[in-house]
Amino acid sequence: MSTGTLIAIIVPVAVVLIAIAAGLWTMSRRRHLQDRFGPEYERTVEQEGGRLAADRELHSREERHAYLAIKELPEDRRQAYAQDWSDVQQHFVDRPEGSVTQADELVSRLMKERGYPTEGYDENVRDLSVAHAGTLQHYRAAHAVKVRSTDGQATTEELRGAMVHYRALFDELLSDRGGR
């Protein structure tokens, strides 16, 4: 066979093999992101307008999270936070709206002490999504009620639900379930 014929065979084969490898790598990366982010993956696909954009967004979240100095709390700090949560819950009967605001502030304080930047709600969601994707829907639901409650538009039942949602995230952050 001539050199030209060999090149005509090898180049297309190499291109096909490279395309297959790239496709397998993309599928593997996507599967990793779907496993890690759970329902947050599909939510990001919708928000970003496609899987490729969602993959980039979620990968950037992972990269940002890798640089955060997330730490576990010592037992005495865990107990102090647990007591603070108990205090917030006790005030719910008399001041439900205030308790929801306090619950939100307590979650933010806990995040900050654990090493999460608390730059605002949207950034909190991005940062929490990496290690706490399973309870992220609780944070979103609780925050939505908190926002409505500042305008006096949330019912007592919605406020109670917000407390349950905040509690789910609070417990996970406090116990470090979800890990790094």
Side-chain angles (χ1 to χ4, degrees), residues 8-137:
I9 294 171
I10 292 173
V11 169
V13 169
V15 168
V16 168
L17 290 175
I18 290 170
I20 289 171
L24 290 173
W25 178 81
T26 300
M27 286 175 42
S28 172
R29 180 176 154 185
R30 183 165 292 152
R31 188 170 300 118
H32 160 76
L33 293 171
Q34 288 171 330
D35 290 345
R36 182 160 199 178
F37 289 92
E40 183 68 10
Y41 182 84
E42 292 303 324
R43 182 179 179 79
T44 307
V45 168
E46 287 179 29
Q47 186 177 359
E48 295 295 319
R51 294 197 182 283
L52 209 51
D55 291 353
R56 278 193 299 274
E57 167 62 22
L58 295 173
H59 182 68
S60 75
R61 291 182 193 185
E62 284 183 320
E63 287 178 337
R64 174 180 160 99
H65 191 270
Y67 288 103
L68 300 178
I70 307 299
K71 60 185 184 257
E72 289 187 40
L73 295 179
E75 187 57 34
D76 63 324
R77 292 301 300 143
R78 287 177 198 248
Q79 289 176 1
Y81 274 106
Q83 182 58 52
D84 289 347
W85 182 265
S86 181
D87 294 344
V88 168
Q89 280 186 303
Q90 287 176 357
H91 294 113
F92 181 81
V93 173
D94 297 325
R95 299 181 11 216
E97 289 167 339
S99 293
V100 168
T101 299
Q102 286 179 320
D104 181 71
E105 292 167 356
L106 186 58
V107 165
S108 292
R109 274 196 350 247
L110 176 56
M111 286 176 61
K112 186 172 186 131
E113 188 166 341
R114 292 276 322 272
Y116 287 96
T118 52
E119 300 163 2
Y121 172 73
D122 290 332
E123 285 303 313
N124 290 353
V125 168
R126 284 176 47 93
D127 293 336
L128 288 171
S129 70
V130 178
H132 302 281
T135 55
L136 203 54
Q137 76 276 11

